[in-house]
């Protein structure tokens, strides 16, 4: 359909024919709009980093499993675990595939459902995807900081962990196509469905029955009682006026108090804004590594508050520590320095942490 | 009342923010007394007294305090103009906020916040309540430094500044954006209590920008070779998604405007792609580059995520279209009907294949259906608001809505959907939602 010579008028007709918002693409003045400029070669090179499944866009380079292990331990393990098995910041990257899957090109566990979690390597069918993604987005908190050879190396390490390549394999732009032939789920994708092409037909059609329709007699699923308040008190997540109120989910549901509930006698008092320091730990990205209740890369705010409760000089000491960074108190993983953060804000954040991060 | 409310996060609410069961009981008693009194006085109008007006007046035969005692705002001087240079919602509206679903994600920069559909009206999402999905945190980018590059199979690869883009012919269109994983937690069973968490990765705005086809034309796209475009963001994740060429040339917008102002930073300021009818992940934020190519790119979010696992172990790749879907938003899970009687049942319907043609509502778990009113704004690939009257008799009821789009696609039941796609798909759950109203008036998320 688009084989014909492209002119704006033809596009307008196509839109009208397709029955979409019938607004013809505007006709450019003769000689074009005169905005924008040609991109330079260096500019295109700087941004055009994508790598396709046929390896178009793959930069020249290479890496070994052992160098990859060094990169992994220095740049990745803090979040993903030493063996890419960690579930702390994301689902595990590796696991759930077998050498047999490498032969068939189907991750068997996806069909049998025998593993609890679907790891990255179980799903991904194209090795280019992993190169492209690590190169553009990892490490998560300092993306695009790896050299090309570091990307090859760390990918080699991951592929070795997944038993796709041997320990002495040198991954490079020359050898990566071989790896593609061993990807466990390389035959696991289908595009035979109705959700890509704009003209495609849906696969599941509902019923148009209006009267005395067949239905299953009972409720088959509902939220278990223990989960009633798991999303916070629903009463606070609704408007205090109107036809309904939010249920007080801190309490069990009422028995059948047949009939009416009445409007509240008391209007809610508006929420206080979150403390400014809560905003600061977001602004300075501390929350990339710290959360209130659970350990992420660094200790949880609650752990820090508990450790230094009542300790003399803790505030000053911690302000200095966050500024300079360092490791050893909570483990071997270092916290980066925060020299760029103003002292007053560092102090506010440390006070916030020591006061229970409320 | 001594109960102290401990909330997730750092916001603390005053304890009187909700009614305890005792207070609810008091309120019910008070209402009954008022009604009794009014009836005793022979006032036939009592039946017409709306809920909520009765309480304070219980004792006062003369009428309600709210009317008889003039409040401060009737007797005093109010606030000056521009006291808030950028207006804010009423302080009473604080309950309706974007919220995270606890335990769903592990780090807050690769996470989701859900839109509070349970309390919203019409079809436009206020920009501050628009759902968020970030993979590597959000930014507030200096627009004067932002650039859009178009390269690949074009005659001239080009670079545009915001100044230049905003001079081009522009369109303003209303479209919904729904995350492909919306309602994804509910494939196997009920997992969340309210419509905010079950359907809240859904928003709808008026977007303003230049048609992508205008830009591709301006760069001289090679229509003989081109089959797809790749859209890429400028943030750390440099989110990338492939879009089929026929779609890219159809109604895709390179947008800077949202609901009359610039995009919000959380929604991609200063530039994002709007891909009508397609899942949110393709609406690349902080858009920096469009590459014209001749094969799909299999990027991380189209080769590891946003792929739909079928029962045979195969993944459907490049699933994009958000199919016909609807949900009743009021009343919905976690809400309590105040009393028996008439209710306006309201909700939203949408389809990535065009306009909504019809919405039917059932009050008996799908046995019988009634067409709802969809007479307000109905435009293609936008949310459509539906309304229908219902008299609640105080007995348990299961409420459902079912939408039909202009392509004739009817929203399926869970049973029909699972029969084909199983329960592990994560993505593209457009099944009919059921809300169970119990005798107490409380509404529960159920699957029937």
């Amino acid at each position: 359909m688009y084989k014909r010579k492209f002119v704006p008028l033809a596009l307008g007709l196509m839109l009208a024919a397709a029955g979409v918002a019938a607004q013809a693409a505007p006709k450019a003045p003769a000689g074009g709009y005169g905005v924008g400029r040609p991109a330079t070669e260096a500019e295109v090179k700087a941004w055009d980093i994508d790598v396709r499944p046929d390896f178009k866009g793959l930069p020249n380079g290479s890496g070994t499993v052992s160098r990859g292990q060094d990169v992994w331990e220095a740049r990745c393990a803090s979040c993903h675990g030493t063996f890419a098995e960690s579930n702390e910041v994301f689902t595990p990257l590796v696991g759930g595939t077998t050498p047999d899957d490498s032969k068939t090109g189907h991750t068997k566990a996806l069909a049998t459902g025998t593993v609890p979690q679907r790891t990255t390597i179980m799903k991904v069918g194209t090795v280019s995807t992993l190169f492209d993604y690590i190169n553009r987005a990892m490490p998560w908190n300092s993306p695009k900081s790896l050299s090309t050879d570091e990307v090859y190396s760390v990918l080699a390490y991951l592929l070795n962990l997944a038993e796709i390549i041997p320990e002495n394999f040198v991954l490079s732009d020359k050898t990566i196509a071989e790896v593609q032939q061993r990807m466990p789920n390389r035959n696991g994708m289908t595009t035979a469905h109705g959700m890509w092409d704009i003209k495609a037909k849906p696969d599941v059609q509902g019923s148009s029955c209006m009267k005395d329709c067949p239905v299953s007699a009972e409720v088959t699923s509902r939220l278990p009682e223990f989960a009633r308040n798991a999303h916070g008190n629903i009463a606070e997540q609704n408007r205090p006026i109107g036809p309904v109120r939010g249920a007080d989910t801190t309490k069990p549901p009422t028995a059948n108090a047949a009939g009416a509930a009445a409007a509240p006698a008391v209007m809610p008092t508006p929420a206080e804004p979150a403390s400014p320091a809560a905003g600061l730990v977001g602004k300075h990205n501390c929350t990339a590594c710290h959360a209130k209740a659970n350990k992420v890369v660094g200790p949880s705010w609650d752990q820090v508050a508990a450790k230094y409760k009542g300790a003399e000089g803790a505030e000053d000491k911690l302000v200095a520590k966050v500024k300079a960074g360092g490791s050893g108190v909570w483990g071997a993983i270092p916290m980066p320095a925060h020299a760029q953060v103003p002292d007053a804000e560092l102090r506010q954040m440390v006070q916030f942490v020591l006061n229970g991060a409320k | 009342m001594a109960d102290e409310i401990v909330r997730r996060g750092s916001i603390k609410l005053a304890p009187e923010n909700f009614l305890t069961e005792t207070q609810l009981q008091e309120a019910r008693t008070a209402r009954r007394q008022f009604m009794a009194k009014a009836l005793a006085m022979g006032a036939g109008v009592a039946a017409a007294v709306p809920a909520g007006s009765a309480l304070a007046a219980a004792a006062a035969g003369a009428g309600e305090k709210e009317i008889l005692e003039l409040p401060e705002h009737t007797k005093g001087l109010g606030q000056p103009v521009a006291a808030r240079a950028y207006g804010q919602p009423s302080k009473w509206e604080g309950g309706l906020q974007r919220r995270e679903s606890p335990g769903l994600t592990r780090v807050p920069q690769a996470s989701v916040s859900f839109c509070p559909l349970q309390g919203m009206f019409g079809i436009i999402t206020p920009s501050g309540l628009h759902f968020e999905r970030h993979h590597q945190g959000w930014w507030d980018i200096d627009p004067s430094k932002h650039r859009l590059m178009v390269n690949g199979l074009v005659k001239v690869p080009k670079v545009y500044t915001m100044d230049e883009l905003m001079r081009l012919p522009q369109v303003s269109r209303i479209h919904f954006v729904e995350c492909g994983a919306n309602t994804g937690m509910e494939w196997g069973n009920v997992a969340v209590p309210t419509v905010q968490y079950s359907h809240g990765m859904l928003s709808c705005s008026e977007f303003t920008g230049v048609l992508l086809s205008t830009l591709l034309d301006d760069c001289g796209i090679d229509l003989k070779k081109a089959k797809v475009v790749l859209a890429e963001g400028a943030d750390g994740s440099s989110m990338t998604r492939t879009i089929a060429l026929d779609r890219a040339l159809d109604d895709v917008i390179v947008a800077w405007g949202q609901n009359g102002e610039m995009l919000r930073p959380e929604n991609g300021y200063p530039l994002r792609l709007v891909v009508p009818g397609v899942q949110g992940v393709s609406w690349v934020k902080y858009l920096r580059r469009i590459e014209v190519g001749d094969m799909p790119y299999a990027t991380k979010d189209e080769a590891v995520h946003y792929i739909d696992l079928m029962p045979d172990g195969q993944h459907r790749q490049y699933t994009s279209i958000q199919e016909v879907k609807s949900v009743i938003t009021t009343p919905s899970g976690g809400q309590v009907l105040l009393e028996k009687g008439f209710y306006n049942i309201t909700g939203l319907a949408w389809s990535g294949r065009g306009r909504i043609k019809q919405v039917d509502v059932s009050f008996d778990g799908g046995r019988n259906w009634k067409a709802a009113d969809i007479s307000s704004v109905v435009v293609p690939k936008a949310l459509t608001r539906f309304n229908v009257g219902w008299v609640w008799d105080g007995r348990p009821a299961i409420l459902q809505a079912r939408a039909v789009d202009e392509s004739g696609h009817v929203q399926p039941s869970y049973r029909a959907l699972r029969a084909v796609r199983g329960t592990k798909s994560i993505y593209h759950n457009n099944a009919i939602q059921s809300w169970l109203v119990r005798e107490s008036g409380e509404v529960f998320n159920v699957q029937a």
Side-chain angles (χ1 to χ4, degrees):
Chain A
M1 179 167 193
Y2 300 103
K3 295 275 158 59
R4 74 180 103 163
K5 193 166 171 288
F6 184 74
V7 288
L9 184 63
L11 174 63
L13 289 175
M14 278 165 359
L15 285 173
V20 298
Q23 186 162 0
K27 208 176 157 72
Y33 299 105
V35 303
R37 60 164 178 83
T40 70
E41 220 171 284
E43 285 173 337
V44 174
K45 190 160 173 267
W47 277 10
D48 186 354
I49 57 172
D50 58 76
V51 180
R52 299 199 312 193
D54 62 354
F55 304 114
K56 182 161 179 277
L58 185 71
N60 295 339
S62 68
T64 60
V65 174
S66 69
R67 175 154 187 226
Q69 181 167 6
D70 295 341
V71 177
W72 181 265
E73 275 161 15
R75 309 297 305 277
C76 322
S78 60
C79 290
H80 292 292
T82 311
F83 304 106
E85 82 298 352
S86 169
N87 204 12
E88 296 254 347
V89 304
F90 206 67
T91 30
L93 304 186
V94 169
T97 57
T98 64
D100 206 40
D101 295 342
S102 277
K103 290 189 195 123
T104 61
H106 288 281
T107 301
K108 197 164 173 214
L110 288 172
T112 57
T114 43
V115 292
Q117 256 176 327
R118 292 173 236 168
T119 67
T120 309
I121 209 72
M122 285 169 68
K123 294 183 284 179
V124 68
T126 35
V127 68
S128 61
T129 305
L130 294 175
F131 186 98
D132 176 88
Y133 181 65
I134 294 169
N135 186 44
R136 73 173 57 240
M138 287 294 137
W140 190 58
N141 51 354
S142 51
K144 303 176 190 70
S145 61
L146 299 179
S147 71
T148 298
D149 284 355
E150 282 175 328
V151 177
Y152 276 110
S153 306
V154 82
L155 178 54
Y157 176 71
L158 280 175
L159 293 166
N160 176 250
L161 277 181
E163 298 177 60
I164 298 168
I165 60 172
E167 215 180 327
N168 59 0
F169 193 90
V170 178
L171 184 69
S172 72
D173 50 296
K174 311 280 182 316
T175 60
I176 198 165
E178 287 171 44
V179 178
Q180 178 57 37
Q181 294 316 310
R182 302 185 208 169
M183 290 297 282
N185 203 35
R186 65 185 177 278
N187 298 323
M189 301 284 166
T190 171
T191 50
H193 56 73
M195 295 164 92
W196 164 249
D197 192 282
I198 52 179
K199 294 176 294 287
K201 293 273 174 293
D203 61 339
V204 186
Q205 176 71 337
S207 151
S208 309
C209 172
M210 294 295 283
K211 270 213 125 15
D212 302 322
C213 314
V215 292
S216 65
E218 73 242 42
V219 165
T220 54
S221 176
R222 64 176 63 183
L223 208 59
E225 208 51 60
F226 68 80
R228 179 167 168 77
N229 200 37
H231 283 71
N233 189 352
I234 304 302
E236 298 165 8
Q237 304 178 17
N238 277 274
R239 189 169 280 121
I241 50 152
V244 295
R245 295 293 177 277
D248 177 359
T249 49
T250 62
K251 311 265 156 47
T254 46
N256 306 330
V266 199
M267 288 294 274
T269 304
E272 284 168 40
S275 77
L280 285 178
V281 294
K283 178 179 143 195
H284 294 302
N285 271 329
C286 317
T287 50
C289 298
H290 295 283
K292 178 164 162 43
N294 56 306
K295 174 189 174 290
V296 183
V297 179
S300 73
W301 296 142
D302 289 347
Q303 285 175 307
V304 176
K307 180 178 172 75
Y308 294 102
K309 195 165 180 205
E312 214 167 302
E315 189 180 312
D316 289 342
K317 185 182 147 221
L318 290 176
V319 170
K321 166 78 174 268
V322 179
K323 195 179 174 87
S327 62
V329 179
W330 299 90
I333 304 164
M335 168 161 64
H338 292 93
Q340 76 289 0
V341 180
D343 282 358
E345 295 191 1
L346 279 177
R347 189 163 295 277
Q348 258 180 295
M349 289 187 283
V350 167
Q351 285 166 352
F352 162 80
V353 173
L354 291 175
N355 289 326
K358 284 197 264 281
Chain B
M1 78 145 264
D3 318 52
E4 214 213 336
I5 301 162
V6 184
R7 268 174 39 136
R8 279 187 309 112
S10 51
I11 303 168
K12 249 187 137 181
L13 291 179
E16 57 273 67
N17 191 44
F18 68 87
L19 293 178
T20 60
E21 192 43 39
T22 333
Q23 284 174 307
L24 264 174
Q25 279 308 343
E26 279 166 11
R28 286 177 187 129
T29 321
R31 178 173 163 79
R32 268 180 233 128
Q33 282 169 358
F34 178 81
M35 297 295 269
K37 202 161 207 152
L39 286 168
M41 292 189 315
V45 291
V49 173
S53 67
L55 303 175
E64 268 193 283
K65 182 175 94 204
E66 276 68 17
I67 294 172
L68 298 178
E69 293 171 21
L70 295 184
E72 212 45 51
H73 59 256
T74 309
K75 297 191 292 184
L77 177 62
Q79 310 260 343
V81 296
R84 294 191 278 195
Y86 194 105
Q88 297 287 308
S90 160
K91 64 181 179 182
W92 306 108
E93 292 294 311
L96 297 167
Q97 295 183 0
R98 299 196 273 228
R99 293 173 195 276
E100 281 184 89
S101 185
L104 180 62
T105 55
R106 303 171 187 64
V107 276
Q109 290 88 351
S111 189
V112 190
S113 72
F114 295 81
C115 178
L117 300 178
Q118 69 273 22
M120 290 172 45
F121 314 114
I123 63 169
I124 299 292
T125 308
S127 300
L129 293 179
H130 195 291
F131 82 92
E132 298 169 277
R133 172 77 171 107
H134 314 304
H135 286 264
Q136 228 142 321
W138 62 271
W139 298 89
D140 196 354
I141 292 171
D142 177 347
S144 72
K145 302 206 165 77
H146 189 73
R147 299 290 182 272
L148 177 70
M149 181 185 290
V150 180
N151 73 315
L153 298 170
V154 292
K155 203 174 285 162
V156 192
K158 284 181 82 168
V159 172
Y160 302 87
T161 62
M162 289 302 298
D163 296 345
E164 289 167 327
L165 290 171
M166 292 167 82
R167 276 170 58 190
L168 289 169
Q170 61 182 240
V171 297
S172 293
R173 292 180 188 167
I174 300 174
H175 288 299
F176 78 82
V177 49
E178 181 184 23
C179 177
N182 200 26
T183 325
M185 287 176 279
E186 304 260 311
W187 265 108
N189 49 264
V190 167
V192 295
T194 76
V195 72
Q196 175 159 20
Y197 305 107
S198 66
H199 289 73
M201 288 196 273
L202 172 72
S203 295
C204 183
S205 306
E206 184 199 62
F207 292 99
T208 296
V210 53
L211 286 173
L212 178 57
S213 59
T214 304
L215 290 174
L216 293 175
D217 191 20
D218 191 50
C219 297
I221 178 172
D222 180 350
L223 286 167
K224 287 214 176 64
K225 295 203 190 116
K227 290 206 176 67
V228 299
V229 303
L230 180 76
E232 179 179 79
D235 60 324
S237 74
S238 300
M239 171 61 72
T240 32
R241 281 284 305 190
T242 307
I243 295 148
L245 189 69
D246 50 2
R247 187 179 293 287
L249 293 175
D250 185 354
D251 53 2
V252 175
I253 307 170
V254 173
W256 51 83
Q258 181 181 357
N259 298 333
E261 57 183 5
M262 286 293 288
L263 293 161
R264 293 288 171 91
E266 296 93 320
N267 303 125
Y269 184 96
L271 204 64
R272 87 172 303 171
L273 204 63
V274 167
V275 192
V278 167
Q279 60 185 350
V281 64
S282 294
W283 296 42
V284 171
K285 297 186 284 188
Y286 321 107
L287 183 71
R288 78 167 188 184
R289 197 168 68 93
I290 296 285
E291 176 174 308
V292 181
D294 57 9
M295 66 178 284
Y297 288 81
T299 67
K300 183 265 259 178
D301 287 298
E302 51 197 25
V304 185
H305 304 281
Y306 306 91
I307 50 176
D308 310 19
L309 181 60
M310 294 296 111
D312 63 358
Q314 291 289 104
H315 278 101
R316 290 182 175 177
Q317 197 176 16
Y318 305 113
T319 46
S320 301
I321 298 175
Q322 294 299 110
E323 298 190 317
V324 66
K325 189 166 170 181
S326 67
V327 65
I328 294 170
T329 52
T330 312
S332 56
Q335 295 184 327
V336 187
L337 298 181
L338 292 181
E339 57 184 350
K340 293 187 225 180
F342 180 83
Y343 283 86
N344 179 70
I345 306 300
T346 189
L348 294 165
W350 62 100
S351 167
R353 288 198 170 85
R355 282 180 191 76
I356 288 298
K357 200 174 72 188
Q358 187 179 333
V359 181
D360 304 317
V361 173
S362 170
F363 304 105
D364 58 6
R367 278 172 193 81
N368 296 288
W369 298 83
K370 183 179 171 183
D373 173 29
I374 52 167
S375 60
S376 32
V377 188
V378 184
V379 288
K381 305 178 187 179
L383 293 186
T384 296
R385 176 60 67 173
F386 66 83
N387 292 288
V388 63
W390 180 49
V391 176
W392 182 43
D393 60 10
R395 284 184 302 177
I398 294 179
L399 275 46
Q400 299 177 336
R402 171 183 80 188
V404 187
D405 70 18
E406 62 182 339
S407 81
H409 193 193
V410 183
Q411 184 181 0
S413 65
Y414 266 106
R415 180 185 294 224
L417 205 59
R418 286 175 182 149
V420 176
R421 302 194 198 156
T423 57
K424 302 257 166 65
S425 155
I426 300 180
Y427 302 99
H428 301 108
N429 177 357
N430 68 330
I432 291 170
Q433 168 69 42
S434 303
W435 303 120
L436 167 69
V437 182
R438 284 217 196 127
E439 280 113 324
S440 61
E442 190 168 342
V443 185
F444 294 85
N445 181 8
V446 298
Q447 291 179 358

